[in-house]
Amino acid sequence: AQKITQTQPGMFVQEKEAVTLDCTYDTSDQSYGLFWYKQPSSGEMIFLIYQGSYDEQNATEGRYSLNFQKARKSANLVISASQLGDSAMYFCAMRRTGRRALTFGSGTRLQVQP
Amino acid sequence: DTEVTQTPKHLVMGMTNKKSLKCEQHMGHRAMYWYKQKAKKPPELMFVYSYEKLSINESVPSRFSPECPNSSLLNLHLHALQPEDSALYLCASSQGYLERAGELFFGEGSRLTVL
């Protein structure tokens, strides 16, 4: 069975600073995908970034980067230059190769302060 | 603006009512999903349609009945719900091929209250 753990229920960061949201996972699969989603108060889940288990380089998408440490089974999200609009709930998720279902972590609520 | 449209945004229904949630996407995606999200919890997968065929049913009670009339539309028919079914129901879509299956495009959800 797969499990995603996000140990930070809430985080605060000052505007323009960088922040790291933690995610660890547990799986016996060799091939899998890791994802981060953002959920603002509007309710819509927004896909941010993807990392494949065989990708040698950390994924980056604009201000988002994924710090992937396969041996430690961690996939932390780094947001650089935080903006007020980054205030939201952030979910880490994993998908087994060959399956459509995503397993989500419990989420981290990020609040960006001016 | 989201490219996945869900209606209604809010729904209040009694336990004996029959209602439906609707979802539409025009991105040419061939996989569509229903997720249920309780307050302060992560989304939980309910159903997956792949190429208009039901491919995953996560042991959801029969009072929830999904329907995929075509590749752009996804419905969730609701009947004889319980108050504990009150939640945000999220529709999502993704590319048909599995390699991109985790990149989901979500709607804003339908917030359901069962009295």
Side-chain angles (χ1 to χ4, degrees):
Chain A
Q2 300 179 106
K3 187 176 180 182
I4 300 281
T5 302
Q6 295 180 252
T7 57
Q8 307 153 313
M11 290 278 287
F12 288 91
V13 65
Q14 290 294 122
E15 196 177 5
K16 299 180 185 175
E17 292 186 351
V19 62
T20 298
L21 306 184
D22 294 341
C23 173
T24 58
Y25 59 92
D26 188 19
T27 182
S28 55
D29 292 350
Q30 295 301 309
S31 179
Y32 48 88
L34 296 158
F35 303 81
W36 277 92
Y37 281 84
K38 170 186 178 182
Q39 187 175 37
S41 56
S42 61
E44 177 191 359
M45 298 274 287
I46 302 167
F47 166 74
L48 296 177
I49 197 166
Y50 162 77
Q51 179 86 40
S53 58
Y54 289 116
D55 294 342
E56 294 187 352
Q57 293 206 328
N58 287 340
T60 60
E61 289 285 350
R63 294 187 299 110
Y64 304 108
S65 60
L66 200 152
N67 184 357
F68 180 47
Q69 297 187 47
K70 192 170 182 178
R72 299 176 111 182
K73 293 189 175 178
S74 74
N76 298 339
L77 177 70
V78 180
I79 305 175
S80 62
S82 297
Q83 301 172 356
L84 294 177
D86 293 334
S87 294
M89 196 75 168
Y90 288 80
F91 290 99
C92 180
M94 180 165 61
R95 182 183 73 85
R96 299 172 71 180
T97 297
R99 297 282 309 269
R100 290 196 180 277
L102 281 179
T103 301
F104 285 92
S106 55
T108 296
R109 179 164 297 283
L110 176 67
Q111 295 187 60
V112 180
Q113 298 175 318
Chain B
D1 287 343
T2 179
E3 296 183 74
V4 177
T5 304
Q6 289 188 243
T7 55
K9 291 198 185 315
H10 299 276
L11 178 64
V12 179
M13 60 186 291
M15 290 190 283
T16 58
N17 292 158
K18 283 186 181 181
K19 297 285 186 184
S20 297
L21 305 181
K22 297 183 183 302
C23 176
E24 188 169 7
Q25 59 89 11
H26 292 290
M27 294 178 282
H29 289 170
R30 299 309 298 273
M32 296 188 76
Y33 309 72
W34 280 115
Y35 280 85
K36 174 182 177 180
Q37 187 178 26
K38 301 283 276 184
K40 302 187 189 302
K41 297 288 187 184
E44 298 175 356
L45 183 65
M46 300 175 73
F47 302 104
V48 180
Y49 275 84
S50 176
Y51 295 88
E52 294 93 72
K53 289 188 179 357
L54 184 64
S55 63
I56 296 179
N57 175 342
E58 292 287 336
S59 303
V60 178
S62 60
R63 57 185 184 269
F64 295 92
S65 175
E67 178 195 20
C68 189
N70 59 54
S71 61
S72 299
L73 293 174
L74 185 67
N75 298 321
L76 186 63
H77 302 299
L78 314 171
H79 174 54
L81 295 193
Q82 304 295 312
E84 59 264 29
D85 296 322
S86 298
L88 181 67
Y89 289 83
L90 292 162
C91 173
S93 68
S94 72
Q95 301 272 13
Y97 45 100
L98 281 174
E99 286 74 18
R100 304 297 292 271
E103 295 180 34
L104 301 179
F105 291 76
F106 283 84
E108 291 188 345
S110 292
R111 191 165 297 282
L112 173 67
T113 303
V114 182
L115 301 177

